[in-house]
Amino acid sequence: MSIPKWALFLLAVMVVLVILYQFGRKTFYAEIIIPAAPDDVWRVLMDGEGYRDWHPLLVPIEGRFAEKAKVTYQMSQPNGKQSEFVTTIVRLSPSKHLRQYAGVPLIITADHEYRLEPVPEGTRVIQYEVDNGFGMFFWDSSWVQPAYQKVNVALKNRVLELQGK
């Protein structure tokens, strides 16, 4: 029994798409130590209204921070471009972990998280994101890593400001 040519073609296209999808994967990592307790850092991360006062990249404009909830953000890219996108809160562990997922599967997705870890100096804040999809071949993401580093510094400054330091 021979396999029809259309089936072989379809299989070949699917294999190429899967390979391209995997090569379209990028990860971003930014870390900072904030001389404050995880609860203090968490309060700032959970205050959606307060993002306007400190966050240089994102401002929540609709939704709330709760597991399985949807949050709509306004994003300001360094080139001045503004866009809105919706995330789903995948995991929320108070004072420890906030994980959000956004995008259209296969096209472009973002799996972003904040991890808070107590350390002797205060709190280690880690932002980690994995972006996937064919759209990654067409999107210049070179600004994301430096932007997350700026977000971490802005978060630190906001926490210290609220503590009166």
Side-chain angles (χ1 to χ4, degrees):
M1 179 170 153
S2 66
I3 300 174
K5 288 183 181 179
W6 67 267
L8 288 174
F9 175 76
L10 185 59
L11 178 62
V13 168
M14 289 174 57
V15 167
V16 167
L17 290 177
V18 167
I19 290 169
L20 287 174
Y21 179 74
Q22 287 303 315
F23 282 113
R25 178 185 182 103
K26 292 189 181 176
T27 60
F28 307 98
Y29 181 93
E31 176 180 319
I32 195 166
I33 303 289
I34 299 177
D39 289 344
D40 296 333
V41 176
W42 188 255
R43 267 191 291 282
V44 173
L45 283 176
M46 292 296 101
D47 177 18
E49 291 291 320
Y51 274 50
R52 293 183 193 288
D53 297 328
W54 68 271
H55 205 295
L57 184 62
L58 299 175
V59 174
I61 55 175
E62 188 176 315
R64 61 187 182 86
F65 294 111
E67 273 195 25
K68 299 182 182 170
K70 301 232 183 268
V71 177
T72 302
Y73 287 96
Q74 175 74 41
M75 180 170 63
S76 302
Q77 294 182 27
N79 64 4
K81 183 179 177 187
Q82 300 280 314
S83 59
E84 285 185 15
F85 65 95
V86 178
T87 67
T88 300
I89 307 293
V90 176
R91 182 171 180 212
L92 190 141
S93 299
S95 298
K96 294 180 184 171
H97 194 202
L98 171 64
R99 182 173 172 207
Q100 302 175 81
Y101 182 85
V104 178
L106 294 178
I107 305 300
I108 192 166
T109 61
D111 190 351
H112 179 270
E113 55 189 301
Y114 283 99
R115 298 179 202 152
L116 279 59
E117 302 171 353
V119 294
E121 303 90 347
T123 302
R124 174 179 290 121
V125 176
I126 297 168
Q127 284 192 76
Y128 180 72
E129 181 170 297
V130 177
D131 292 355
N132 268 319
F134 303 113
M136 294 304 294
F137 289 104
F138 307 102
W139 178 53
D140 176 13
S141 61
S142 63
W143 60 271
V144 175
Q145 182 77 31
Y148 285 168
Q149 291 167 339
K150 288 178 184 174
V151 168
N152 281 355
V153 170
L155 174 60
K156 176 181 179 178
N157 291 340
R158 180 64 172 170
V159 170
L160 295 177
E161 175 189 332
L162 292 174
Q163 291 182 334
K165 295 182 182 177

